[in-house]
Amino acid sequence: VCKQVADRPRPPKEWFPHDEVDDRPDSSSFPSGHTAAAVAFTAAVVPTWPVTGALCAVPAAMVALERVQSGAHYPSDVATGAAIGLASAWLTRRVPRLVLRHWL
């Protein structure tokens, strides 16, 4: 929904002195879906397996950094994607309990 509403263009190709920038998607830059997914997975794992979750944080951070380095996203796109990932993991864990508590 955010990508459709924001419709933000990708960073200018001239900012990146490498060929990776030619392989960017044409969709909106805002937010980073890759970062949102990586952070959501990591945040979902942490409560059950803290050590594994901490280990998952390394590749999640690498995904976020790569999205900026490759020219696919602005840093704010990645930060918003991370926030969406955290919120998604929190909601996935909390909403079922809240619904059951109020309906039962």
Side-chain angles (χ1 to χ4, degrees):
V1 172
C2 292
K3 282 190 177 287
Q4 295 167 347
V5 171
D7 197 27
R8 181 180 190 177
R10 303 280 172 174
K13 290 183 179 185
E14 298 79 38
W15 290 5
F16 303 92
H18 50 72
D19 294 335
E20 284 181 44
V21 80
D22 293 330
D23 295 331
R24 302 183 303 179
D26 292 331
S27 62
S28 175
S29 173
F30 183 85
S32 170
H34 286 86
T35 303
V39 170
F41 178 82
T42 301
V45 169
V46 166
T48 306
W49 300 297
V51 174
T52 303
L55 292 173
C56 288
V58 173
M62 290 173 68
V63 166
L65 290 173
E66 187 280 334
R67 300 311 290 163
V68 174
Q69 183 275 330
S70 69
H73 293 285
Y74 293 98
S76 59
D77 300 337
V78 170
T80 303
I84 290 170
L86 286 171
S88 298
W90 185 84
L91 285 170
T92 300
R93 198 160 180 88
R94 301 286 184 225
V95 168
R97 283 188 238 167
L98 292 173
V99 169
L100 289 174
R101 186 179 335 155
H102 290 290
W103 285 12
L104 295 178

PDB file of all heavy atoms in Angstrom, residues 5-30:
ATOM      1  N   VAL A   5       0.848   4.431  -2.691  1.00  0.00           N
ATOM      2  CA  VAL A   5       0.488   5.780  -2.238  1.00  0.00           C
ATOM      3  C   VAL A   5       1.646   6.761  -2.451  1.00  0.00           C
ATOM      4  O   VAL A   5       1.450   7.870  -2.940  1.00  0.00           O
ATOM      5  CB  VAL A   5       0.054   5.761  -0.758  1.00  0.00           C
ATOM      6  CG1 VAL A   5      -0.102   7.169  -0.212  1.00  0.00           C
ATOM      7  CG2 VAL A   5      -1.232   4.976  -0.599  1.00  0.00           C
ATOM      8  N   ALA A   6       2.863   6.355  -2.096  1.00  0.00           N
ATOM      9  CA  ALA A   6       4.013   7.258  -2.162  1.00  0.00           C
ATOM     10  C   ALA A   6       4.479   7.490  -3.597  1.00  0.00           C
ATOM     11  O   ALA A   6       4.754   8.609  -3.993  1.00  0.00           O
ATOM     12  CB  ALA A   6       5.157   6.716  -1.326  1.00  0.00           C
ATOM     13  N   ASP A   7       4.608   6.431  -4.382  1.00  0.00           N
ATOM     14  CA  ASP A   7       5.069   6.506  -5.770  1.00  0.00           C
ATOM     15  C   ASP A   7       6.326   7.370  -5.888  1.00  0.00           C
ATOM     16  O   ASP A   7       6.406   8.281  -6.701  1.00  0.00           O
ATOM     17  CB  ASP A   7       3.953   7.025  -6.680  1.00  0.00           C
ATOM     18  CG  ASP A   7       4.267   6.729  -8.144  1.00  0.00           C
ATOM     19  OD1 ASP A   7       4.986   5.747  -8.406  1.00  0.00           O
ATOM     20  OD2 ASP A   7       3.802   7.492  -9.016  1.00  0.00           O
ATOM     21  N   ARG A   8       7.298   7.080  -5.054  1.00  0.00           N
ATOM     22  CA  ARG A   8       8.556   7.835  -5.015  1.00  0.00           C
ATOM     23  C   ARG A   8       9.535   7.266  -6.040  1.00  0.00           C
ATOM     24  O   ARG A   8       9.745   6.058  -6.097  1.00  0.00           O
ATOM     25  CB  ARG A   8       9.145   7.732  -3.621  1.00  0.00           C
ATOM     26  CG  ARG A   8      10.430   8.491  -3.419  1.00  0.00           C
ATOM     27  CD  ARG A   8      10.899   8.310  -1.993  1.00  0.00           C
ATOM     28  NE  ARG A   8      11.987   9.208  -1.689  1.00  0.00           N
ATOM     29  CZ  ARG A   8      12.539   9.294  -0.502  1.00  0.00           C
ATOM     30  NH1 ARG A   8      12.102   8.542   0.492  1.00  0.00           N
ATOM     31  NH2 ARG A   8      13.517  10.117  -0.284  1.00  0.00           N
ATOM     32  N   PRO A   9      10.173   8.107  -6.847  1.00  0.00           N
ATOM     33  CA  PRO A   9      11.159   7.603  -7.814  1.00  0.00           C
ATOM     34  C   PRO A   9      12.412   7.085  -7.107  1.00  0.00           C
ATOM     35  O   PRO A   9      12.729   7.490  -5.991  1.00  0.00           O
ATOM     36  CB  PRO A   9      11.482   8.808  -8.681  1.00  0.00           C
ATOM     37  CG  PRO A   9      11.107   9.991  -7.871  1.00  0.00           C
ATOM     38  CD  PRO A   9      10.005   9.549  -6.937  1.00  0.00           C
ATOM     39  N   ARG A  10      13.120   6.192  -7.785  1.00  0.00           N
ATOM     40  CA  ARG A  10      14.383   5.666  -7.261  1.00  0.00           C
ATOM     41  C   ARG A  10      15.437   6.781  -7.245  1.00  0.00           C
ATOM     42  O   ARG A  10      15.304   7.770  -7.964  1.00  0.00           O
ATOM     43  CB  ARG A  10      14.879   4.505  -8.130  1.00  0.00           C
ATOM     44  CG  ARG A  10      13.902   3.352  -8.266  1.00  0.00           C
ATOM     45  CD  ARG A  10      13.949   2.459  -7.071  1.00  0.00           C
ATOM     46  NE  ARG A  10      12.869   1.450  -7.136  1.00  0.00           N
ATOM     47  CZ  ARG A  10      12.732   0.481  -6.289  1.00  0.00           C
ATOM     48  NH1 ARG A  10      13.582   0.347  -5.301  1.00  0.00           N
ATOM     49  NH2 ARG A  10      11.735  -0.365  -6.379  1.00  0.00           N
ATOM     50  N   PRO A  11      16.501   6.613  -6.446  1.00  0.00           N
ATOM     51  CA  PRO A  11      17.578   7.610  -6.465  1.00  0.00           C
ATOM     52  C   PRO A  11      18.150   7.752  -7.883  1.00  0.00           C
ATOM     53  O   PRO A  11      18.156   6.784  -8.649  1.00  0.00           O
ATOM     54  CB  PRO A  11      18.624   7.030  -5.508  1.00  0.00           C
ATOM     55  CG  PRO A  11      17.862   6.120  -4.602  1.00  0.00           C
ATOM     56  CD  PRO A  11      16.759   5.554  -5.458  1.00  0.00           C
ATOM     57  N   PRO A  12      18.639   8.940  -8.230  1.00  0.00           N
ATOM     58  CA  PRO A  12      19.195   9.149  -9.577  1.00  0.00           C
ATOM     59  C   PRO A  12      20.369   8.213  -9.877  1.00  0.00           C
ATOM     60  O   PRO A  12      21.236   7.991  -9.025  1.00  0.00           O
ATOM     61  CB  PRO A  12      19.674  10.603  -9.553  1.00  0.00           C
ATOM     62  CG  PRO A  12      18.919  11.239  -8.444  1.00  0.00           C
ATOM     63  CD  PRO A  12      18.657  10.163  -7.437  1.00  0.00           C
ATOM     64  N   LYS A  13      20.403   7.663 -11.070  1.00  0.00           N
ATOM     65  CA  LYS A  13      21.472   6.741 -11.463  1.00  0.00           C
ATOM     66  C   LYS A  13      22.846   7.387 -11.397  1.00  0.00           C
ATOM     67  O   LYS A  13      23.843   6.718 -11.156  1.00  0.00           O
ATOM     68  CB  LYS A  13      21.222   6.224 -12.884  1.00  0.00           C
ATOM     69  CG  LYS A  13      20.062   5.289 -12.995  1.00  0.00           C
ATOM     70  CD  LYS A  13      19.918   4.773 -14.410  1.00  0.00           C
ATOM     71  CE  LYS A  13      18.741   3.813 -14.477  1.00  0.00           C
ATOM     72  NZ  LYS A  13      18.631   3.185 -15.804  1.00  0.00           N
ATOM     73  N   GLU A  14      22.906   8.685 -11.589  1.00  0.00           N
ATOM     74  CA  GLU A  14      24.180   9.396 -11.596  1.00  0.00           C
ATOM     75  C   GLU A  14      24.876   9.362 -10.236  1.00  0.00           C
ATOM     76  O   GLU A  14      26.074   9.610 -10.138  1.00  0.00           O
ATOM     77  CB  GLU A  14      23.976  10.869 -12.000  1.00  0.00           C
ATOM     78  CG  GLU A  14      23.415  11.061 -13.384  1.00  0.00           C
ATOM     79  CD  GLU A  14      21.909  10.826 -13.457  1.00  0.00           C
ATOM     80  OE1 GLU A  14      21.166  11.200 -12.513  1.00  0.00           O
ATOM     81  OE2 GLU A  14      21.463  10.233 -14.461  1.00  0.00           O
ATOM     82  N   TRP A  15      24.151   9.078  -9.176  1.00  0.00           N
ATOM     83  CA  TRP A  15      24.730   9.034  -7.839  1.00  0.00           C
ATOM     84  C   TRP A  15      25.562   7.782  -7.602  1.00  0.00           C
ATOM     85  O   TRP A  15      26.275   7.689  -6.606  1.00  0.00           O
ATOM     86  CB  TRP A  15      23.633   9.092  -6.786  1.00  0.00           C
ATOM     87  CG  TRP A  15      22.927  10.397  -6.667  1.00  0.00           C
ATOM     88  CD1 TRP A  15      23.078  11.514  -7.442  1.00  0.00           C
ATOM     89  CD2 TRP A  15      21.932  10.725  -5.705  1.00  0.00           C
ATOM     90  NE1 TRP A  15      22.237  12.503  -7.025  1.00  0.00           N
ATOM     91  CE2 TRP A  15      21.512  12.045  -5.958  1.00  0.00           C
ATOM     92  CE3 TRP A  15      21.335  10.026  -4.663  1.00  0.00           C
ATOM     93  CZ2 TRP A  15      20.540  12.690  -5.200  1.00  0.00           C
ATOM     94  CZ3 TRP A  15      20.366  10.661  -3.915  1.00  0.00           C
ATOM     95  CH2 TRP A  15      19.979  11.981  -4.174  1.00  0.00           C
ATOM     96  N   PHE A  16      25.450   6.783  -8.479  1.00  0.00           N
ATOM     97  CA  PHE A  16      26.054   5.472  -8.232  1.00  0.00           C
ATOM     98  C   PHE A  16      26.995   5.095  -9.368  1.00  0.00           C
ATOM     99  O   PHE A  16      26.547   4.902 -10.495  1.00  0.00           O
ATOM    100  CB  PHE A  16      24.965   4.413  -8.042  1.00  0.00           C
ATOM    101  CG  PHE A  16      24.031   4.772  -6.933  1.00  0.00           C
ATOM    102  CD1 PHE A  16      22.865   5.481  -7.191  1.00  0.00           C
ATOM    103  CD2 PHE A  16      24.336   4.458  -5.632  1.00  0.00           C
ATOM    104  CE1 PHE A  16      22.011   5.849  -6.163  1.00  0.00           C
ATOM    105  CE2 PHE A  16      23.494   4.821  -4.593  1.00  0.00           C
ATOM    106  CZ  PHE A  16      22.332   5.516  -4.862  1.00  0.00           C
ATOM    107  N   PRO A  17      28.290   4.979  -9.066  1.00  0.00           N
ATOM    108  CA  PRO A  17      29.279   4.700 -10.114  1.00  0.00           C
ATOM    109  C   PRO A  17      29.466   3.212 -10.409  1.00  0.00           C
ATOM    110  O   PRO A  17      30.576   2.736 -10.561  1.00  0.00           O
ATOM    111  CB  PRO A  17      30.557   5.303  -9.518  1.00  0.00           C
ATOM    112  CG  PRO A  17      30.393   5.080  -8.050  1.00  0.00           C
ATOM    113  CD  PRO A  17      28.915   5.248  -7.789  1.00  0.00           C
ATOM    114  N   HIS A  18      28.387   2.475 -10.480  1.00  0.00           N
ATOM    115  CA  HIS A  18      28.493   1.048 -10.785  1.00  0.00           C
ATOM    116  C   HIS A  18      27.304   0.621 -11.636  1.00  0.00           C
ATOM    117  O   HIS A  18      26.317   1.337 -11.764  1.00  0.00           O
ATOM    118  CB  HIS A  18      28.600   0.206  -9.514  1.00  0.00           C
ATOM    119  CG  HIS A  18      27.557   0.515  -8.486  1.00  0.00           C
ATOM    120  ND1 HIS A  18      26.234   0.159  -8.622  1.00  0.00           N
ATOM    121  CD2 HIS A  18      27.647   1.173  -7.298  1.00  0.00           C
ATOM    122  CE1 HIS A  18      25.557   0.574  -7.561  1.00  0.00           C
ATOM    123  NE2 HIS A  18      26.386   1.197  -6.749  1.00  0.00           N
ATOM    124  N   ASP A  19      27.413  -0.564 -12.215  1.00  0.00           N
ATOM    125  CA  ASP A  19      26.394  -1.047 -13.152  1.00  0.00           C
ATOM    126  C   ASP A  19      25.157  -1.631 -12.481  1.00  0.00           C
ATOM    127  O   ASP A  19      24.156  -1.858 -13.144  1.00  0.00           O
ATOM    128  CB  ASP A  19      26.987  -2.103 -14.095  1.00  0.00           C
ATOM    129  CG  ASP A  19      28.041  -1.503 -15.003  1.00  0.00           C
ATOM    130  OD1 ASP A  19      27.985  -0.283 -15.241  1.00  0.00           O
ATOM    131  OD2 ASP A  19      28.911  -2.257 -15.469  1.00  0.00           O
ATOM    132  N   GLU A  20      25.236  -1.921 -11.181  1.00  0.00           N
ATOM    133  CA  GLU A  20      24.081  -2.501 -10.483  1.00  0.00           C
ATOM    134  C   GLU A  20      22.845  -1.620 -10.596  1.00  0.00           C
ATOM    135  O   GLU A  20      21.725  -2.107 -10.561  1.00  0.00           O
ATOM    136  CB  GLU A  20      24.391  -2.682  -8.991  1.00  0.00           C
ATOM    137  CG  GLU A  20      25.277  -3.837  -8.666  1.00  0.00           C
ATOM    138  CD  GLU A  20      25.487  -3.932  -7.165  1.00  0.00           C
ATOM    139  OE1 GLU A  20      24.511  -3.795  -6.400  1.00  0.00           O
ATOM    140  OE2 GLU A  20      26.624  -4.148  -6.752  1.00  0.00           O
ATOM    141  N   VAL A  21      23.049  -0.335 -10.721  1.00  0.00           N
ATOM    142  CA  VAL A  21      21.946   0.616 -10.738  1.00  0.00           C
ATOM    143  C   VAL A  21      21.039   0.396 -11.959  1.00  0.00           C
ATOM    144  O   VAL A  21      19.882   0.783 -11.959  1.00  0.00           O
ATOM    145  CB  VAL A  21      22.493   2.056 -10.643  1.00  0.00           C
ATOM    146  CG1 VAL A  21      22.999   2.560 -11.966  1.00  0.00           C
ATOM    147  CG2 VAL A  21      21.491   2.986 -10.047  1.00  0.00           C
ATOM    148  N   ASP A  22      21.563  -0.266 -12.989  1.00  0.00           N
ATOM    149  CA  ASP A  22      20.756  -0.541 -14.188  1.00  0.00           C
ATOM    150  C   ASP A  22      19.755  -1.670 -13.962  1.00  0.00           C
ATOM    151  O   ASP A  22      18.807  -1.809 -14.725  1.00  0.00           O
ATOM    152  CB  ASP A  22      21.667  -0.893 -15.365  1.00  0.00           C
ATOM    153  CG  ASP A  22      22.501   0.298 -15.808  1.00  0.00           C
ATOM    154  OD1 ASP A  22      22.022   1.442 -15.646  1.00  0.00           O
ATOM    155  OD2 ASP A  22      23.620   0.083 -16.299  1.00  0.00           O
ATOM    156  N   ASP A  23      19.955  -2.471 -12.932  1.00  0.00           N
ATOM    157  CA  ASP A  23      19.078  -3.613 -12.655  1.00  0.00           C
ATOM    158  C   ASP A  23      18.000  -3.309 -11.624  1.00  0.00           C
ATOM    159  O   ASP A  23      17.385  -4.218 -11.088  1.00  0.00           O
ATOM    160  CB  ASP A  23      19.906  -4.812 -12.154  1.00  0.00           C
ATOM    161  CG  ASP A  23      20.856  -5.325 -13.209  1.00  0.00           C
ATOM    162  OD1 ASP A  23      20.546  -5.176 -14.404  1.00  0.00           O
ATOM    163  OD2 ASP A  23      21.921  -5.858 -12.834  1.00  0.00           O
ATOM    164  N   ARG A  24      17.747  -2.033 -11.345  1.00  0.00           N
ATOM    165  CA  ARG A  24      16.760  -1.665 -10.330  1.00  0.00           C
ATOM    166  C   ARG A  24      15.344  -1.886 -10.848  1.00  0.00           C
ATOM    167  O   ARG A  24      15.080  -1.760 -12.042  1.00  0.00           O
ATOM    168  CB  ARG A  24      16.903  -0.197  -9.948  1.00  0.00           C
ATOM    169  CG  ARG A  24      18.239   0.170  -9.447  1.00  0.00           C
ATOM    170  CD  ARG A  24      18.315   1.594  -9.006  1.00  0.00           C
ATOM    171  NE  ARG A  24      17.943   2.537 -10.060  1.00  0.00           N
ATOM    172  CZ  ARG A  24      17.921   3.842  -9.892  1.00  0.00           C
ATOM    173  NH1 ARG A  24      18.232   4.360  -8.736  1.00  0.00           N
ATOM    174  NH2 ARG A  24      17.590   4.653 -10.874  1.00  0.00           N
ATOM    175  N   PRO A  25      14.428  -2.172  -9.927  1.00  0.00           N
ATOM    176  CA  PRO A  25      13.018  -2.290 -10.337  1.00  0.00           C
ATOM    177  C   PRO A  25      12.460  -0.919 -10.741  1.00  0.00           C
ATOM    178  O   PRO A  25      13.023   0.122 -10.395  1.00  0.00           O
ATOM    179  CB  PRO A  25      12.306  -2.796  -9.090  1.00  0.00           C
ATOM    180  CG  PRO A  25      13.333  -2.973  -8.042  1.00  0.00           C
ATOM    181  CD  PRO A  25      14.635  -2.479  -8.536  1.00  0.00           C
ATOM    182  N   ASP A  26      11.366  -0.926 -11.446  1.00  0.00           N
ATOM    183  CA  ASP A  26      10.714   0.322 -11.863  1.00  0.00           C
ATOM    184  C   ASP A  26       9.667   0.792 -10.863  1.00  0.00           C
ATOM    185  O   ASP A  26       9.122   1.877 -11.006  1.00  0.00           O
ATOM    186  CB  ASP A  26      10.046   0.143 -13.229  1.00  0.00           C
ATOM    187  CG  ASP A  26      11.073  -0.056 -14.331  1.00  0.00           C
ATOM    188  OD1 ASP A  26      12.194   0.464 -14.191  1.00  0.00           O
ATOM    189  OD2 ASP A  26      10.747  -0.731 -15.319  1.00  0.00           O
ATOM    190  N   SER A  27       9.368  -0.023  -9.862  1.00  0.00           N
ATOM    191  CA  SER A  27       8.338   0.329  -8.884  1.00  0.00           C
ATOM    192  C   SER A  27       8.802   1.463  -7.976  1.00  0.00           C
ATOM    193  O   SER A  27       9.945   1.892  -8.036  1.00  0.00           O
ATOM    194  CB  SER A  27       7.970  -0.899  -8.047  1.00  0.00           C
ATOM    195  OG  SER A  27       9.106  -1.342  -7.326  1.00  0.00           O
ATOM    196  N   SER A  28       7.915   1.927  -7.132  1.00  0.00           N
ATOM    197  CA  SER A  28       8.216   3.011  -6.200  1.00  0.00           C
ATOM    198  C   SER A  28       9.363   2.633  -5.272  1.00  0.00           C
ATOM    199  O   SER A  28       9.497   1.481  -4.856  1.00  0.00           O
ATOM    200  CB  SER A  28       6.971   3.334  -5.370  1.00  0.00           C
ATOM    201  OG  SER A  28       7.260   4.293  -4.398  1.00  0.00           O
ATOM    202  N   SER A  29      10.170   3.609  -4.940  1.00  0.00           N
ATOM    203  CA  SER A  29      11.308   3.398  -4.054  1.00  0.00           C
ATOM    204  C   SER A  29      10.894   3.259  -2.591  1.00  0.00           C
ATOM    205  O   SER A  29      11.577   2.618  -1.803  1.00  0.00           O
ATOM    206  CB  SER A  29      12.252   4.589  -4.207  1.00  0.00           C
ATOM    207  OG  SER A  29      13.298   4.540  -3.281  1.00  0.00           O
ATOM    208  N   PHE A  30       9.774   3.871  -2.224  1.00  0.00           N
ATOM    209  CA  PHE A  30       9.369   3.968  -0.808  1.00  0.00           C
ATOM    210  C   PHE A  30       8.245   3.017  -0.474  1.00  0.00           C
ATOM    211  O   PHE A  30       7.225   3.047  -1.155  1.00  0.00           O
ATOM    212  CB  PHE A  30       8.919   5.404  -0.525  1.00  0.00           C
ATOM    213  CG  PHE A  30       8.545   5.648   0.903  1.00  0.00           C
ATOM    214  CD1 PHE A  30       9.517   5.967   1.828  1.00  0.00           C
ATOM    215  CD2 PHE A  30       7.233   5.573   1.307  1.00  0.00           C
ATOM    216  CE1 PHE A  30       9.168   6.211   3.152  1.00  0.00           C
ATOM    217  CE2 PHE A  30       6.876   5.806   2.624  1.00  0.00           C
ATOM    218  CZ  PHE A  30       7.850   6.129   3.542  1.00  0.00           C
TER     219      PHE A  30
END
